[in-house]
Amino acid sequence: MSGTAHAARHDAPDQPVFVGQVKDKLEALFPSYPTRMACLLPALWMVQEARGWISPDAIAEVATVLGLTPAYVRGVATFYTMYHLHPVGRHFIQVCGTSPCHLCGSDEVMKAILQQTGCGEVGATSPDDRFTVIEVECLGACGFATPILVDDDFHDSVTPERVAGVLARYP
Amino acid sequence: MGFPHPNHPKETIVLSQYFGDADARTYAGWVKRGGYEALKKALGMAPEAIVEEIKASGLRGRGGAGFPTGLKWSFMPKGDHKPHYLVCNADESEPGTFKDRELMRWTPHQLIEGCAIGAYAIGAERCYIYIRGEFTEPWRVMTKAVEEAYTNGALGANVFGTGKRIDIVLHRGAGAYICGEETAMMNSIEGRRGNPRIKPPFPAVAGLFGMPTTINNVETLTAVSHILNRGAAWYKGLCLSSPKSTGTKLFSVCGHIMKPGNYEVTMGFPMKSLIHDLAGGMRPGRRLKAVIPGGSSVPIMNAVEAEAALCDYEGIVAQGSMLGSAGFIVMDDSADIVYEIYRLAKFYAHESCAQCTQCREGTAWTTKILERILKGQGKREDLDLLLDLSEQMTGKTICVLSDSCATPIVSGIKKFPEEFDAYLSRAKAPALAAV
Ligand SMILES: Cc1cc2nc3c(=O)[nH]c(=O)nc-3n(C[C@H](O)[C@H](O)[C@H](O)COP(=O)(O)O)c2cc1C
Ligand code: FES
């Protein structure tokens, strides 16, 4: 992995996530649910927001914090496609490829993104670790084809011509 | 950011009145537009009276199944001293459907008000709104609106000084279409894998955390405040065809269409006019070939069926399909039906929770067979094989994801045999590269 800030973060030994503000944020959720287990999806989101991905150490930590076993937490985390169980590039791009968007030319958008990010193929991370690109199923925005998500930002009506402008916003 | 279109004169605007009006997103803006009057009125009514009003309106679930909402609410036990829950289904992931997203982005308080009324009517003090993980913008808008509703006393331990408690908790999904299925959603909120549960027990008996639960779609709940404000008779009167389908409905129109978007019309509105007038019709020089009208999980309609259909629960059934979630996937004569059906099968294969054998294997194998046909390697027997598999996938599983995969395949083979034939006879060049 190259020496970007994000990659360095991936390589660092895991420090606990649930300290300070993140711990407070999680504990503030407890009264909203009758069980601790119900805080599992929110807790996994908090890890991913803090770290960029969910490492085995983080899974163990979530298990401890919520009184679950690591195997259980892993079993749940693997069910949901938005949790990254491996490090990804600094910016994570999700491109819709389901039929309604396909009808409107999502293949061409995907081609342009793969080429201009340097990712080359779907699922790959660019050599400079800047982008990871995946194809996803319907984003619930089919009237605004082709929608893409870059990290938490939603971009609608992306065409091959607009790709460069969107990517430029993510150094 | 999307772009709401100017209203078309043939639309009947109720739910979408404030699409594009950013001020309506704020608490003050919503109150200025008459917001929260219905909640105040509801809190002065007996819960049973609200349920009766919703029953009388004829409102049916907008999430896909069309179950009468008032009847569903009436199934909740009374005097059982258990916590009750309302769950609002904002997982909107059915291909072709993008209405709940717009309802949340533009009118978050319309949804909060509907949830609060619904919760009170079913004896719940807490409502979970399950928002799909990819809906980052609706999530931000809803988070802010819920905070504002608490600050202004529309939510919390003492709603508008009535001593009644109503809490709303936003719960974020993490990428799984199946969590839109109501029992999978309950598992997901509980911190489990999103596997659907076997019914019975039904959610009204033992649902979320084992307690009596009602699950409703976003659009269903947003209709509630309007019914309380304007009366069940008014809502029931919004009906152009079947008396079993009342009110207005948002139709998401996408695919090969000039003006994709959400159009709100009275139930029973002609599909021909919806597609050709409101949504601007086909691109120049193109003809309508097919519509999948219910999101992707319903039979495909050919142009003749589509142009004859009336847009309500009964009208679309009469033309060989179903209303479903009312997301119209429109295809013109340039569309490759076989490819689009293959891409849908791939969607279902990706989204199967893999719990039931028929679904796990069926979605994967139908995708592979369709892929083979598109690679120009199909055999004549493949169509029979697809139909046979589809039959095994229908009515045999815990939830209907498996049936949903089979439905477009079976109807596609029946209604567009020539498109399959073109690949099987090698008259058409392969759409996918053979490896
Ligand atoms: C596989 C599958 C996916 C579903 N996805 C959704 C969804 O995204 N949104 C929704 O409101 N209902 C969805 N439903 C329907 C729900 O199970 C449920 O019927 C609905 O939320 C009930 O609300 P309503 O009565 O207001 O329509 C789905 C059902 C199945 C079987
Ligand atoms: S198919 Fe692309 S957003 Fe729905």
Side-chain angles (χ1 to χ4, degrees):
Chain A
M1 209 172 283
S2 62
T4 62
H6 198 67
R9 212 164 63 191
H10 290 154
D11 293 337
D14 271 8
Q15 298 296 318
V17 176
F18 293 99
V19 289
Q21 281 182 352
V22 188
K23 181 166 181 262
D24 295 345
K25 205 171 140 193
L26 179 67
E27 287 176 356
L29 285 183
F30 289 165
S32 296
Y33 299 91
T35 67
R36 283 289 147 86
M37 193 201 270
C39 297
L40 180 47
L41 266 64
L44 290 169
W45 275 122
M46 287 176 199
V47 171
Q48 186 154 308
E49 266 156 39
R51 287 286 161 72
W53 71 297
I54 300 171
S55 67
D57 283 359
I59 285 188
E61 191 193 351
V62 169
T64 308
V65 173
L66 296 180
L68 304 165
T69 65
Y72 179 82
V73 173
R74 195 173 170 72
V76 173
T78 53
F79 185 88
Y80 297 94
T81 53
M82 290 184 79
Y83 294 131
H84 307 318
L85 301 178
H86 303 280
V88 295
R90 260 189 337 274
H91 302 293
F92 190 75
I93 307 183
Q94 310 182 48
V95 185
C96 178
T98 312
S99 301
C101 285
H102 176 263
L103 288 167
C104 300
S106 63
D107 277 359
E108 299 307 314
V109 175
M110 179 57 111
K111 248 185 241 160
I113 291 176
L114 289 176
Q115 200 205 348
Q116 294 181 34
T117 53
C119 288
E121 59 178 339
V122 176
T125 298
S126 59
D128 60 2
D129 201 35
R130 183 172 156 205
F131 293 112
T132 300
V133 178
I134 65 162
E135 181 178 286
V136 292
E137 299 299 340
C138 182
L139 285 170
C142 331
F144 315 113
T146 295
I148 72 171
L149 269 173
V150 185
D151 305 330
D152 275 349
D153 303 338
F154 180 84
H155 299 270
D156 68 55
S157 316
V158 177
T159 56
E161 297 71 42
R162 284 193 53 207
V163 166
V166 172
L167 296 182
R169 291 157 64 175
Y170 300 91
Chain B
M1 281 283 189
F3 20 79
H5 55 85
N7 295 340
H8 191 281
K10 288 186 177 167
E11 285 185 276
T12 307
I13 303 297
V14 178
L15 308 178
S16 61
Q17 184 172 359
Y18 300 111
F19 283 11
D21 175 354
D23 188 49
R25 282 178 173 163
T26 63
Y27 184 85
W30 190 245
V31 168
K32 219 190 306 166
R33 288 163 183 76
Y36 290 108
E37 287 307 316
L39 175 57
K40 287 180 186 156
K41 182 174 175 187
L43 294 171
M45 292 167 73
E48 298 76 30
I50 301 173
V51 174
E52 285 310 313
E53 188 76 4
I54 299 301
K55 264 193 195 167
S57 75
L59 174 65
R60 291 168 67 179
R62 306 301 196 217
F67 195 85
T69 306
L71 186 62
K72 187 187 266 192
W73 290 6
S74 74
F75 294 155
M76 291 292 276
K78 280 147 211 90
D80 56 341
H81 304 295
K82 285 184 188 167
H84 290 188
Y85 295 110
L86 176 68
V87 176
C88 171
N89 191 337
D91 194 49
E92 187 167 66
S93 319
E94 176 79 16
T97 317
F98 47 96
K99 59 189 178 64
D100 299 343
R101 171 178 189 270
E102 298 300 283
L103 285 168
M104 288 189 285
R105 285 175 69 218
W106 293 111
T107 53
H109 289 286
Q110 185 174 222
L111 178 59
I112 292 170
E113 189 171 3
C115 288
I117 297 170
Y120 173 66
I122 62 161
E125 292 191 335
R126 192 178 292 162
C127 167
Y128 292 96
I129 305 182
Y130 188 102
I131 303 180
R132 66 176 296 187
E134 294 87 345
F135 273 179
T136 49
E137 194 199 346
W139 174 269
R140 283 192 287 265
V141 174
M142 287 299 300
T143 304
K144 187 148 179 265
V146 167
E147 273 168 23
E148 272 196 295
Y150 271 103
T151 310
N152 289 282
L155 293 174
N158 182 14
V159 177
F160 293 136
T162 58
K164 288 167 182 130
R165 171 169 212 120
I166 302 170
D167 287 309
I168 289 185
V169 178
L170 303 181
H171 192 91
R172 187 176 177 196
Y177 165 70
I178 190 60
C179 288
E181 195 281 337
E182 56 187 20
T183 58
M185 178 166 288
M186 298 189 301
N187 276 339
S188 186
I189 296 174
E190 289 180 15
R192 303 174 196 276
R193 294 168 71 90
N195 292 334
R197 300 176 184 173
I198 293 173
K199 295 190 258 192
F202 289 95
V205 176
L208 186 62
F209 303 110
M211 297 300 157
T213 302
T214 292
I215 304 198
N216 278 124
N217 169 260
V218 168
E219 190 186 352
T220 313
L221 289 166
T222 51
V224 165
S225 62
H226 300 280
I227 295 171
L228 285 198
N229 276 333
R230 298 166 78 168
W234 159 77
Y235 197 79
K236 207 177 160 77
L238 295 169
C239 171
L240 297 174
S241 173
S242 162
K244 288 187 197 151
S245 294
T246 62
T248 63
K249 174 88 193 78
L250 285 167
F251 289 86
S252 308
V253 185
C254 65
H256 289 152
I257 192 83
M258 287 302 283
K259 293 193 228 161
N262 286 299
Y263 297 90
E264 185 172 10
V265 294
T266 304
M267 282 287 196
F269 192 83
M271 195 183 290
K272 187 171 179 178
S273 177
L274 184 50
I275 291 176
H276 293 287
D277 301 335
L278 279 60
M282 303 295 107
R283 297 176 291 180
R286 293 285 173 200
R287 296 182 286 108
L288 179 65
K289 186 195 269 185
V291 178
I292 313 186
S296 58
S297 302
V298 303
I300 189 166
M301 305 171 96
N302 60 33
V304 175
E305 291 170 323
E307 291 184 343
L310 298 177
C311 295
D312 63 19
Y313 297 100
E314 291 71 29
I316 297 186
V317 169
Q319 292 299 327
S321 188
M322 284 184 289
L323 179 68
S325 59
F328 288 6
I329 306 172
V330 179
M331 299 183 224
D332 69 23
D333 52 356
S334 71
D336 180 341
I337 300 282
V338 183
Y339 188 92
E340 298 311 331
I341 288 178
Y342 149 75
R343 191 60 191 75
L344 289 179
K346 194 172 160 194
F347 164 81
Y348 291 107
H350 182 261
E351 301 298 338
S352 170
C353 84
Q355 205 179 190
C356 307
T357 311
Q358 291 89 338
C359 179
R360 181 182 65 241
E361 301 299 321
T363 55
W365 279 105
T366 48
T367 305
K368 278 186 192 151
I369 295 164
L370 287 162
E371 197 174 292
R372 172 161 88 201
I373 293 174
L374 287 164
K375 283 178 178 168
Q377 298 168 345
K379 309 187 201 82
R380 287 274 154 206
E381 311 85 86
D382 282 349
L383 294 188
D384 286 333
L385 188 54
L386 281 172
L387 292 173
D388 184 43
L389 273 168
S390 296
E391 190 172 330
Q392 299 304 324
M393 290 164 70
T394 304
K396 297 190 169 65
T397 45
I398 295 175
C399 86
V400 294
L401 187 143
S402 178
D403 311 51
S404 300
C405 178
T407 304
I409 298 174
V410 174
S411 54
I413 294 176
K414 284 208 180 112
K415 294 180 190 176
F416 296 93
E418 67 286 355
E419 301 234 352
F420 286 85
D421 200 59
Y423 282 109
L424 294 173
S425 65
R426 314 285 188 263
K428 186 167 178 178
L432 290 173
V435 263

